[in-house]
Amino acid sequence: MNRFEIQPLERFAGSNTAIRRPKEIAYFSYDDAHNFHLDDRSLRYYHPPRLGADLSKGFDTFQQLDDTADDHLDSLLKTIIALEKESGVKCEADVLSWRGLLTKVSEHACDDE
């Protein structure tokens, strides 16, 4: 079993990050060909399926994305650079993430493997 010792408490002294509600500061999108764009063109709303929905609908036209390279970090950095150039102000944030990353991190913390 993994353990995270909290004693001695003095090792946590110093500057700390204030935990606040997340705030969107910028966005980026990937198109169908997985090209990067500094806009919200791929933003979609989730609509839950009706009961009895055919879960195999669209399976025959599904196109698997080549996910051997994880571009999210590069795209996040490109977005922050563009934000700073546009605003002329350095992005002041203690934590930067894209939607879904923190969910993956928290799920991993609870993983038994």
Side-chain angles (χ1 to χ4, degrees):
M1 173 187 266
N2 295 328
R3 296 181 58 131
F4 179 72
E5 299 294 334
I6 61 170
Q7 298 294 336
L9 294 177
E10 293 79 32
R11 71 183 182 144
F12 299 109
S15 63
N16 294 312
T17 299
I19 303 299
R20 297 182 301 269
R21 179 178 295 274
K23 178 174 77 170
E24 180 182 286
I25 58 172
Y27 43 80
F28 65 89
S29 294
Y30 295 114
D31 60 17
D32 292 339
H34 202 67
N35 296 314
F36 171 81
H37 299 279
L38 281 169
D39 58 28
D40 62 353
R41 72 182 64 194
S42 296
L43 183 64
R44 302 288 184 268
Y45 292 96
Y46 175 73
H47 300 282
R50 295 182 180 156
L51 290 178
D54 181 7
L55 299 180
S56 62
K57 184 176 181 181
F59 186 77
D60 55 335
T61 59
F62 174 73
Q63 296 178 359
Q64 178 65 42
L65 172 69
D66 177 15
D67 58 357
T68 54
D70 188 3
D71 304 339
H72 286 95
L73 184 57
D74 291 338
S75 297
L76 179 63
L77 294 175
K78 286 180 196 176
T79 305
I80 298 304
I81 290 168
L83 173 70
E84 290 178 347
K85 282 182 181 177
E86 182 180 314
S87 67
V89 179
K90 184 176 182 260
C91 178
E92 294 290 335
D94 292 325
V95 177
L96 291 171
S97 177
W98 58 89
R99 186 185 68 201
L101 175 66
L102 294 180
T103 302
K104 290 177 184 179
V105 170
S106 62
E107 286 173 350
H108 183 68
C110 299
D111 197 359
D112 290 339
E113 294 180 23

